[in-house]
Amino acid sequence: MEGRKKSRRYIDYPRLGRKGVRRWLPSWRLWLGTCTFALACLAGLFAFVYAKIDIPNENALAAREATVYYWADGSQMVSVGAVNRQNVTLDKVPKHVQNAVIAAENATFYEDHGVSLTGIARAMVNMVSGGDTQGGSTITQQYVKNTYLSPDQTATRKVKEFIISLKVNNQKSKSDILRGYLNTSWFGRGSNGIQAAAHAYYGIDAKDINPSQGALLAALLKGSEQYDPGLSKANHARAVSRWKWILDRLVATGAMSKEERAQYREFPEPRPVTKPTSQAGQIGYLIDIANKFVKSATGLTDKDLARGGYRIHTTFDKQRTQRLEKSIGDVRKKNLDPRKRPSDTFVEFGAASVRPTDGAILALYGGADATRHFSNNADTTAVPAGSAFKPFVLATALQQEAEQYGDQPRPVDSPSQSDALLGALMQGSNVPFVQAGKKLGLERIRDLTLSLGLRKESLAQLEQTFPLGTSAPSAVRMASAYTTFANGGRHAEPYAVSKMTYQGKAVAGFERAEPQQVVTPAVAQVVTNMLAGLGWRNLPQDGTRTRVQPPAAAATEPGDRMKSAWFVGTPPPGGAADLAAGVRTAPAAGSGVRADRTPGAGDGAEPTTAITLFRNKPGAPQLLPLNGVGGPDTGLGTSLPPQVWAAYQNGT
């Protein structure tokens, strides 16, 4: 009998003596064994990784390189200096500041083990789904990220963060961790650490920060680009709200009494935002645009960029940028005299040049000096476009007709929306555009402008005045939209950085998408031909016209908008004679959407340039009127942007 006994299986699966579904259901012993084995493997793996990962050298932060920006030709534009960090001991940081930081960032700091499992799990899920990976970390984890790790948002880095945080928590005291965190955290305005931040925001040492100021500095740890009150009105509102929350949080955690909290009702306004002298002139504005593009392309933050070690190659042409700045300065000097005319005060220019073929931003003008005028006029969305918006309405009508009739001639008795708009543009009439909005549909016009590259947040409400240019796109986006017509109806998204490296390794995210066909080539040509006529009309009549080819251009009318003046021009690829002939090829009534000249001719090397003029008093909620700007002969300032364009093209 024993000889016939079967040897017992080590793993009873499929289960003997069971039938049907039960044969394939694991026993509780198998479940328990499998789970135990898996946990043992995980524990072994964790022990191995824990042993392999060491705490790096804390002094590495001080040795980090500056970030260098380069012009399009490869020459160095500016080096944004080494990390602005001044270490202080914890006894030089008031207890109320320490409490504010702990209350805002990690209320259980003194009790936890240095890591937040839920925070890391949430970050990993967000990483996979493309969401925010910054939130949910303990102070220890943030200190580790600040001091020991690269800014890469990868699973490997998250594992290192977890392990090193555990080791740091085991090997360092909570006081040492808090000191390190306060000395390495990014507070914005170029400041790493509480001492540099105290000087950047209040001009005092960290030891002199009062509880109200400390609450604001603690609020900045959530993200200075969102909570620095000096950057925008929206930032200011967010900063005030979080400042109040942190003070209330101090009361809730027992770190401040209600009586002391009652003393802090007035928001502690920081000093105005300043830029280092190395970013004087246009450099600060160029860096601003480049950084925005980098953050959009890579997901990096201002905090990440402040770590240094980057090499950022921009699309900016040094000679064009200098020429644009000089042209605006010369036109300002020639036409504006604030001492003579009060209406010439607070006059601002903004401008941008974008290459049609690929969307490269070649030059921009953000204001008189980035160290004195912080707002970037080339990127502001506060200046109504006026009549410079109307070609988008015309393009919508032409595109609709192109889709309706294709290559077939439009019936002679069929009313043409585009013919009416062509005439209205040349005559500066508004009524046909209001009517077009009703017939075409405001949504259709809006959708086309978005396809042309305008940002949704810059567009006005869809009211009957929408086709008249109540939207306020930036100069960069206006120039980009007009490149579509110069590029045969193809739109390339504007970009400011061609490539980027970090510590010698290429950073991903700078691959360029192919231009998208937004309108047909024929539609683009008709719009270009029409704009050519406007280019002739709007060029200054002081002899400049004989020295520069007339552009395909759009401009605001003197009576069109009382608070903005625009000129958007693209130099013709075929020369003045060719362009003049092009005006005569615009389709006659009943001919459909057709053009006789080859759409998109030229190599697209010459950029489209948008120039805007407006009056903006710092702190005022609205733009000031342009009445009287430059004297009685400037048409409410509308003649000044074309003068800038002509001088820019002439290189004078």
Side-chain angles (χ1 to χ4, degrees), residues 2 50 71 231 325 389-390 412 476 531 563 638 642 648:
E2 290 183 2
Y50 189 89
W71 294 101
L231 296 182
E325 182 178 24
F389 187 88
K390 292 177 181 177
V412 175
V476 170
L531 294 176
K563 294 185 178 181
T638 57
Y648 177 44

Side-chain angles (χ1 to χ4, degrees), residues 485-486 488 521-522 524-525 528-529 573 578 585 595-602:
F485 305 127
Q525 188 61 53
T528 299
N529 292 342
D578 186 27
T585 67
D596 300 328
R597 211 151 49 88
T598 302

Side-chain angles (χ1 to χ4, degrees), residues 324-343:
L324 182 58
E325 182 178 24
K326 182 180 184 299
S327 300
I328 290 175
D330 290 347
V331 169
R332 177 186 286 276
K333 184 177 179 180
K334 175 183 175 182
N335 295 277
L336 302 179
D337 188 350
R339 292 173 297 181
K340 180 180 177 181
R341 287 184 297 269
S343 57

Side-chain angles (χ1 to χ4, degrees), residues 60-67 79-88 146 180-205 271 274-279 302-309:
L61 180 64
R64 283 180 179 142
E65 299 178 77
T67 288
S79 174
V80 177
V83 175
N84 176 17
R85 174 186 172 196
Q86 305 165 44
N87 287 347
V88 291
N146 293 344
Y181 174 67
L182 290 171
N183 280 324
T184 59
S185 290
W186 170 249
F187 288 86
R189 301 195 182 186
S191 55
N192 283 272
I194 192 71
Q195 176 74 352
H199 279 278
Y201 286 88
Y202 293 108
I204 58 177
D205 287 333
R271 307 165 81 184
T274 60
K275 285 186 177 290
T277 56
S278 63
Q279 297 183 31
D302 286 334
K303 175 182 176 181
D304 296 326
L305 292 173
R307 298 165 70 97

